[in-house]
Amino acid sequence: MCGIVGYIGFRSAASVIVEGLQKLEYRGYDSFGVATNNPRIDVYKCEGKISEKAQAAQRLHGSIGVGHTRWATHGVPSDRNAHPHLDCTGRIAVVHNGIIENYAALTRELEERGHRFRSETDTEVVAHLIEEYYRGDLVAAVRQAIARLKGSYALLVTAEGHEEIVAARDSSPLVLGIGDQELFAASDVTPLLGYTERVVYLEDGDLATLDREGWHVYRADTPVRREIEHVSWDVETVRKGGFRHYMLKEIFEQPKVFYDTLHGITPESLPERYRRPSEITVVACGSSYHAGLVFKYLCESTCRIPVRAELGSEFKYFTPPLKGIVMVITQSGETADTLAALKKAKAYNCPTLAITNVLGSSVTRIADHTLYMRAGPEISVAATKSFVAQLAVLMQLVNLMSPKNDFAESLERANSAIEEVLLQDISRAVEICRPAQHLFYVGRGLFYPIALEGALKMKEISYIHAEGYAAGELKHGPFALLSEETPVVALCSPGDTYSIMLSNIKEMKARNAPIIGIGARGDRELIDIVDVFIPIPECHELVQMISTSVLLQLLAYQTAVALDRDVDQPRNLAKSVTVE
Amino acid sequence: MQAVILAAGEGTRLRPLTLSRPKALVPVANTPILKYVIDALLANGIREIIVVVGYRKEHVIRYLNESNLPVRVVYQENQLGTAHALRCAEPYLQDRFLLLAGDNYIDAASIARIMNERNAILVTDHPSPTNFGVVIEREGLVREIREKPTTPDSRIVSTGVYALDRSFFKYAVGPEVPHAIQAMIRDGGRVVPVQAVDWQDAINPWDLLELNSKLLGRIDAQRAGTISRSSKLYGLIRIGKGSEIGPNTYIHGPVVIGEACTIGPNCVIMPNTSIGSRVTIEPLSYVAHSLVMDDVVIGSHSRVIDAVVGEGCRLADHTATWTAESVFEREKEGFQKASFGAVLGDRVCSAPFTILKNCIIGNNASIQAGNSTVTGVIPDDAVVI
């Protein structure tokens, strides 16, 4: 997903566009760019966040311009790949949201005709195509160019010597804003709000012109009427797309995220030299560290490769392994402690592997090789979909290192299991957690890291003191804290740990602790001993683990909502921790 | 022009298919019913669309987001009737607006006919009016709406699509819209009946098959994915990205197949079949006149005809449906005679050699006894041994 903005009017176009792009950052934020028409085309584009580099872009002159904020899916984020893209002469600037499916064929054709391409994007072909058809009439050239495109697009085009912006859409969103002596075009209404409430939604196949005289919409070359509508939305409502919180939006995206990430990792994703390391050291912070712990359990039992899992902030006190690889996990790719650990590993000459959600982030430039999650931008501070995406990457990694395993096929159906979890009514469990001062999360084996992650979610957004423990460790101290006022969330799925978990639960029950039991649907034995039972689908242990994790996110979310907490922006916390 | 689409109700009559989605999200020809309603509005240039969500609202919102549809979402926290749902949208309504049900199919031409009226009801002739609000009209005006009468005086029924304005809120104080219309008429209000061009409701789950067949006739052809050269495809067919059609597979449209499906080798897909995304149909199976939702696995040597197969069902090899007719007792609907193969809720599992004879199987039910014939109604979460 990307975002685009265009402006023609009396203000500084660059300022309006940069501000608009910031509002579209939820659609992507790995690189951005602006082109103004004054009447020469001036371009500023770079990788990185708009908030950090806004000033340079705002220096562009002119009252006509187009801009773009990118979330790279193909072609790394770099200054070169950032939009706007220009034709050979530098006179035509194009921004694009969508995917041009036939760009490879078009590129070949245009290269044969002498066009020179500068980027690896699909968008640049549009600029050259317009140049190819340009005979002094920009609208006609755009019309001829889009007739050649296959795929989805929302396009904004401006060219030297033309006081206008040409817009076109097919299968990607584009809306015009009608102001007083000024016109806007954008991926959604957020950049317009504050300037105008009058908007025109373009339809698939529409081509629109915005100039000093006004705006016109065409289909092929016939002018058509489009109604002006009034919007009275606020920015946050649009960006959350109807959900109350980003966190809930992101929780509900997880079935798709898991599926897409799983399929995004192919045998080609992992070079041969990472397939049989003698040992692996995983370094990460927060939720990513918990994903790393899951990997440790899974990799050691499946691949028989020893795995160390270390916290990023502690790794500097350890010696990196002399042989074997160092793998870092970070959603943002900017976590300071994780980056420091990675640099240290490089200094010790360890081969390094990174797992991240953000193409082109710092970690990808330092690590020898990077694997990507396909979670899309995560806005909520509490990690949800990125955690599940990390699990998907790590499980595929184990699958690639040890193709003879029993879970690969089960993972194909995990999205369906997550969907099922999203339907659960957990209100009774929320009622138990809401008034609690302290909560315990316990699990064994693979479910131990999930207990840690569940407790982390609970404390960060509900502010209830929650602790995750390996169930067997309770007896070594924390048992002293158990009473009727310390509810316990017990993860008790069928598998190796099932029977010992059952007896642990009975022991905790004997100390009067209220128990929320999470186990396989229809598990009579568990239902009988716990206070509240929440079923998860009966399937492979790994899928049960993912399902449990999603369930614990919902439990934390609903508890925080019940306590009226600021779910998306919990106190004292930041999304990406860029200081040590 | 504004429009309010009511998508907050569950649609209980469509159970077991409404456990994980409201009726508005039930896919027909691989597209939720709600999408047809929105498209009909958009085709008429109606852009200010408000969707009232309630039951499983996160799923509706997620769908709207994924499809990039420019609508505003309004919550109805408790499902207290259609007029209450409309009142939830009241703060956003300016003057005239259309009111529509998100779970009935409606075409763009019908919207064009009613959108310029001030107070109007879209009506249609229906062979079994007792399931609907029967509209009594005289001298070109609506005189009365009778909700589900046992002995109807007319075959003209309300489609649940209205053209109204803000003055309607004076009457919309009770739970249901038809009562409010009734009150408005009593108060001397003029309400015009407008004949619908094409409108269809699926009342019972098996009715989806008819709606599916109808809407499959209107899909856009597409051949994405990988299609074996030795497969044979005839007629109107839409195959989504990443789907694989194996060798010697025969597909006769109208058929729609979603994304990332694996079908064949040696399968037969006959007309009026829709297959969701990520569906696997194993070798030597035959599917006809059926609605198969996402993430379904149909085992090899199976025969699925006249069936609605819910999301995530896993049918083992040699599963067969058997079309027959019997009488079902439906909640609120009483006894209904129906002929179909099978209606399976979400995530139903069947053991090898199961025969599903004119049965309705609840969500998450598991038919563990192999080589058996299942008939009648099996409740949610049941285990059949």
Side-chain angles (χ1 to χ4, degrees), chain A residues 335-377:
Chain A
T335 312
D337 284 323
T338 306
L339 289 178
L342 181 61
K343 286 174 190 155
K344 183 172 174 184
K346 293 264 298 194
Y348 278 76
N349 268 329
C350 305
T352 54
L353 184 63
I355 296 174
T356 186
N357 191 30
V358 183
L359 264 79
S361 53
S362 305
V363 76
T364 64
R365 278 168 295 186
I366 304 170
D368 299 328
H369 186 72
T370 307
L371 295 173
Y372 291 100
M373 328 169 196
R374 300 262 179 117

Side-chain angles (χ1 to χ4, degrees), chain B residues 202-226:
Chain B
I203 295 172
N204 294 297
W206 52 85
D207 299 332
L208 287 170
L209 293 173
E210 192 193 329
L211 187 58
N212 195 45
S213 303
K214 168 177 169 161
L215 297 180
L216 275 169
R218 301 173 194 180
I219 54 174
D220 296 324
Q222 180 192 319
R223 303 262 170 104
T226 319

Side-chain angles (χ1 to χ4, degrees), chain A residues 1 27 101 169 171-173 201-204 226-234 237-238 240-244 248-249 251-256 259 409 412-413 415-416 419-420 422-424 521, chain B residues 1 19-21 42-43 45-49 56-59 61-62 64-66 68 70-73 75 77 92 94 241 259-260 278-280 294-297 311-314 346-347 364 381:
Chain A
M1 206 155 85
R27 299 177 68 90
E101 285 165 9
R169 77 159 264 181
S171 306
S172 291
Y201 289 98
L202 294 182
E203 291 179 14
D204 283 347
R226 290 277 176 261
E227 296 294 327
I228 295 183
E229 285 153 44
H230 292 260
V231 292
S232 48
W233 303 12
D234 64 275
T237 313
V238 179
K240 285 181 200 149
F243 281 99
R244 286 228 163 103
L248 191 61
K249 178 172 184 272
I251 286 175
F252 271 81
E253 284 168 6
Q254 290 180 115
K256 185 170 170 9
Y259 185 88
E409 206 194 318
E412 287 290 322
R413 303 277 148 196
N415 60 312
S416 200
E419 284 287 5
E420 201 178 334
L422 295 177
L423 299 171
Q424 277 310 331
R521 187 171 49 222
Chain B
M1 185 77 182
L19 176 79
S20 54
R21 60 186 83 75
L42 294 179
I46 300 172
R47 287 287 181 166
E48 276 185 78
I49 301 171
R56 299 279 182 227
K57 55 179 175 289
E58 293 84 4
H59 292 78
I61 297 169
R62 181 177 65 182
L64 294 170
N65 282 342
E66 280 171 2
N68 256 320
V71 301
R72 177 194 280 277
V73 171
Y75 292 5
E77 295 296 348
Y92 305 105
Q94 275 127 26
K241 275 187 265 183
E259 296 181 2
R278 302 174 300 277
V279 171
T280 304
D294 294 345
D295 296 297
V296 168
V297 180
E311 211 169 282
C313 283
R314 309 193 69 171
D346 295 334
R347 296 173 297 275
N364 303 316
D381 302 309

Side-chain angles (χ1 to χ4, degrees), chain B residues 330-375:
Chain B
R330 302 289 295 167
E331 217 178 305
K332 294 184 198 166
E333 294 298 298
F335 292 95
Q336 302 267 330
K337 192 156 78 173
S339 165
F340 58 89
V343 171
L344 311 184
D346 295 334
R347 296 173 297 275
V348 170
C349 294
S350 74
F353 293 95
T354 299
I355 296 170
L356 305 166
K357 182 183 178 189
N358 191 220
C359 58
I360 301 175
I361 301 185
N363 297 287
N364 303 316
S366 171
I367 315 297
Q368 290 180 356
N371 217 345
S372 60
T373 303
V374 182
T375 58

